[in-house]
């Protein structure tokens, strides 16, 4: 509460305003710091239900006969499933929409599902858009999602946990992130692209009163009447006791300044574009998805032979395992449409071009070695 | 995950074992560190549903026709309501049970409610017992609660967020906390009576597999096959990214040792018993509830006149307001059966007897002043 920690409360309001301004969200927006993307997305959906559900969900519980439907692309983070499963909505009411070749949500498919649900008596409630999927970094078309939500009266939540801070680059804001300011709520993680230590996520809301309306419950031992200008953040999320997360964000902006932070994010984006080009220019790596934000999904293939999918998958899995043992580079695998791929994601301000060259050189070494070892 | 932070994962397992041992919970128990009591209680109820609900709640959602009932005393922390409201069960399925004169749950009333729900086709699911209510420090009769839960096949969750560490005192463990080892899950806050900084709560589980069974969802980019002995805490709660909370608990045990920590908790308990006696021995303060753990609820009254309830409530509210302005002592009010009372709670290892005498002296000063000022 403000009474217990006025400085922390004031500072949290300050850094939330900075974040909103930095990424160019609605200037009237406000929000709350939470542990990270998972809790932020959960909290956003809880608020969406409170605002859009035609019955009193908190009081009577979820009503299967008036099922609430949430839409997200099949590339949405799995924490959305975990949230739906814990909100008592039933994972069968999370409607996974297919994606286009750029791994962005298919708007036509989305509209069809909403229409079908309406005709079958279900209640379309919210769309979760991705602004930087974890797998490929894809950003859903936000303007178009917003138009769909407006047409059907749905809540638009943007999961920008990973990608959101790319919107601090004006060019990106006008391109991939166009329409972001129309979202009802945004998840964004400071402990990803703003370089602050774990845990530090934020939930931003176009209308911050919605947070208080949803979570306010004042216990008797804590009643305290004060001016409305004082924010009690314990009424803005599931948490009561809260750590002073705002301090590390405040320190970051104060120590480095907005422009250097923006510049380091810009560098990540540019380096990973370069990595994509280096891969395309090589004769033994291939790009698997278009480079989006700072995620590059690629794989090693033989410079000589045409390998089949099974062999390629074995080869690239072996490369990741080697890198785990070797410890010179840190790379993880993911699966894109049945293909085992190497996934590089850069949010580290210390990266330079030489690191990317080094990454490819080491992976090439593992690739060659495994071509022989696996007898491919 | 263990792969991302092996040291942090191993240390978290270590401190959870220490906590379990320190308070004397089931030696097979395990658990996870979370932000605090609110999230711990929410998580415990989510697991209870996964384990005890006869239908697949996560998949199909809450079914009003087969309502899940949760029982807790009317003194339970309001975060239980917030949890039920966010789990989609509907707050009308949180059954508030009345309390006895010691503010402990009324077992007869509890049994009657369970029988009634069964006869009406609802599904009794879990009991939330209090091991140190926030208002008065009351500890519900745990052995008896456990017997009721066993008889009806219910989950027993103990909200020991505030009070749990009092069980580290052997005498207390055998008295108020007898039967604690029978609970299916326990919420306990390290940032309360173990003196570590915010945020640091724990959820302890008799069968820790229940956590993984409930929350495990492995995204493709993070699949990693390793020995089962390695714990991925990201599969044990709602969170994915996690801070190194275990470190501050580890430091605490390492720097001070279990016995000094226990001794400081014992001191809090003893000082607050003394405060209770000082109040009873005075002619101008009166004790409103029996001293339980380290909570003392009392009020100031006139040493001369017999004041009515309205006057007493005004007087004690004015005392709290004065203390807020004055800043020499920090005291909060609560409401017990319509009476505005002063609530002192000690979990600070720096308290000594002189502080308690000082507290009463300052409150007496405010009391006398307000008797005049309010013209009572």
């Amino acid at each position: 509460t403000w009474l217990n920690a006025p400085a922390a409360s004031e500072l949290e309001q300050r850094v939330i305003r900075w974040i909103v301004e930095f990424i160019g969200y609605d200037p009237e927006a406000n929000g709350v710091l939470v542990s990270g993307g998972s809790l932020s997305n959960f909290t956003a959906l809880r608020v969406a239900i409170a605002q859009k559900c035609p019955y009193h969900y908190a009081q009577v519980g979820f009503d299967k006969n008036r099922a609430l439907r949430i839409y997200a692309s099949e590339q949405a983070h799995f924490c959305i499933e975990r949230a739906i499963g814990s909100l008592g909505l039933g994972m069968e009411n999370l409607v996974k929409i297919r994606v286009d070749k750029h791994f962005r949500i298919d708007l036509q498919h989305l509209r069809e599902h909403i229409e079908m649900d309406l005709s079958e008596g279900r209640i379309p409630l919210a769309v979760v858009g991705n602004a930087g999927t974890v797998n490929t970094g894809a950003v859903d078309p936000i303007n178009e999602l917003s138009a769909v939500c407006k047409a059907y009266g749905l809540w638009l939540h943007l999961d920008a946990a990973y990608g959101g801070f790319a919107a601090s680059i004006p060019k990106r804001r006008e391109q991939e992130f166009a329409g972001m300011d129309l979202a009802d709520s945004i998840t964004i993680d400071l402990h990803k692209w703003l370089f602050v230590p774990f845990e530090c996520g934020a939930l931003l809301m176009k209308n911050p009163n919605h947070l208080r309306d949803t979570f306010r419950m004042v216990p008797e031992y804590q009643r305290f009447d004060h001016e409305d200008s004082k924010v009690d953040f314990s009424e803005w999320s599931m948490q009561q006791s809260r750590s002073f997360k705002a301090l590390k964000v405040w320190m970051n902006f104060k120590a480095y300044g907005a422009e250097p932070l923006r510049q380091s994010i810009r560098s990540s984006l540019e380096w990973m574009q370069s990595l994509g080009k280096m891969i395309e220019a090589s004769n033994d790596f291939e790009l698997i998805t278009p480079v989006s934000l700072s995620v590059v999904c690629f794989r090693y293939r033989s410079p000589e032979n045409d390998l089949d999918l099974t062999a390629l998958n074995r080869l690239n899995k072996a490369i990741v395992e080697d890198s785990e043992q070797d410890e010179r580079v840190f790379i993880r695998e993911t699966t894109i449409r049945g293909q085992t791929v190497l996934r590089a994601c850069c949010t580290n301000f210390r990266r330079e071009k030489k690191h990317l060259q080094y990454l490819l050189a080491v992976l090439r070494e593992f690739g060659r070695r495994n071509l022989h070892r696996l007898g491919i």
Side-chain angles (χ1 to χ4, degrees), chain A residues 84-369:
Chain A
I84 305 282
S86 291
L87 286 161
L89 265 55
M91 271 188 258
E92 60 190 30
N93 288 313
L94 172 61
V95 186
K96 294 285 191 76
I97 308 295
R98 66 174 173 239
V99 291
D100 64 18
K101 65 180 178 183
H102 297 289
F103 296 88
R104 296 179 305 188
I105 194 165
D106 179 327
L107 291 157
Q108 183 54 28
H109 201 221
L110 171 63
R111 277 193 217 91
E112 284 166 18
H113 268 283
I114 294 172
E115 288 289 349
M116 193 170 68
D117 285 333
L118 282 171
S119 72
E120 291 172 6
R122 299 186 201 98
I123 300 165
L125 190 104
V127 173
V128 179
N130 293 305
T133 64
V134 174
N135 260 344
T136 73
V139 180
D140 289 336
I142 306 173
N143 255 324
E144 290 81 350
L145 277 186
S146 166
V148 173
C149 288
K150 204 170 167 193
Y152 294 100
L154 312 188
W155 185 277
L156 175 57
H157 174 66
L158 274 193
D159 180 0
Y162 147 63
F165 281 108
S168 67
I169 315 294
K171 202 183 87 185
R172 298 288 176 157
R173 193 185 302 167
E174 288 159 23
Q175 292 174 3
E176 294 102 316
F177 291 89
M180 181 183 68
D181 52 315
L182 300 171
D184 294 293
S185 54
I186 296 180
T187 283
I188 189 164
D189 274 354
L190 295 309
H191 61 216
K192 293 196 173 88
W193 227 333
L194 213 71
F195 322 118
V196 306
F198 289 141
E199 307 161 349
C200 199
L203 173 58
L204 308 177
M205 288 253 151
K206 204 175 183 69
N207 181 346
N209 293 334
H210 290 336
L211 284 167
R212 194 162 180 265
D213 293 348
T214 307
F215 294 110
R216 184 166 207 230
M217 286 188 185
V218 183
E220 283 163 342
Y221 67 93
Q222 231 173 38
R223 251 176 224 153
F224 177 64
D225 302 318
H226 50 59
E227 307 148 56
D228 270 352
S229 64
K230 307 274 186 283
V231 167
D232 285 338
F233 279 109
S234 62
E235 302 178 352
W236 285 37
S237 79
M238 294 288 286
Q239 276 184 249
Q240 192 68 5
S241 299
R242 307 176 73 246
S243 64
F244 193 5
K245 296 186 173 70
L247 183 63
K248 51 192 178 185
V249 186
W250 186 86
M251 293 278 286
N252 224 22
F253 274 105
K254 281 290 181 187
Y256 303 107
E259 190 46 39
L261 289 172
R262 184 181 289 116
Q263 184 51 44
S264 67
I265 294 165
R266 190 184 277 122
S267 298
S268 296
L269 291 164
E270 286 169 358
W271 290 135
M272 296 313 264
Q273 287 290 342
S274 307
L275 180 65
K277 291 202 176 72
M278 287 158 65
I279 288 166
E280 286 186 307
S282 78
N283 69 342
D284 51 356
F285 288 105
E286 68 175 327
L287 213 49
I288 297 299
T289 64
V291 177
S292 187
L293 302 185
S294 69
V295 177
V296 181
C297 290
F298 62 111
R299 67 182 168 189
Y300 185 75
R301 58 179 183 188
S302 165
E304 290 103 33
N305 314 326
D306 265 353
L307 302 177
D308 64 11
L309 181 64
T310 312
L312 281 169
N313 284 358
R314 276 180 67 205
L315 178 60
N316 283 277
K317 200 168 178 57
I319 291 171
V320 173
E321 281 160 11
D322 274 7
S323 74
E324 272 159 18
Q325 294 302 319
D326 181 271
E327 298 185 347
R328 275 178 292 167
V329 299
F330 186 84
I331 190 121
R332 300 297 288 273
E333 67 185 89
T334 190
T335 307
I336 304 283
R337 294 185 168 141
Q339 304 163 101
T340 298
V341 306
L342 309 171
R343 175 183 171 280
C345 178
C346 173
T347 54
N348 188 329
F349 56 88
R350 290 202 181 86
R351 285 294 84 81
E352 296 171 28
K353 186 161 191 178
K354 64 179 180 191
H355 298 125
L356 305 178
Q357 290 164 332
Y358 183 70
L359 172 71
L360 288 189
V362 174
L363 294 177
R364 179 172 284 129
E365 178 190 322
F366 297 147
R368 282 182 187 147
R369 186 202 297 172

Side-chain angles (χ1 to χ4, degrees), chain A residues 1-3 5-14 231-233 244:
Chain A
T1 63
W2 195 91
L3 178 67
S9 303
E10 294 288 332
L11 214 60
E12 182 156 345
Q13 287 182 274
R14 174 69 57 100
V231 167
D232 285 338
F233 279 109
F244 193 5

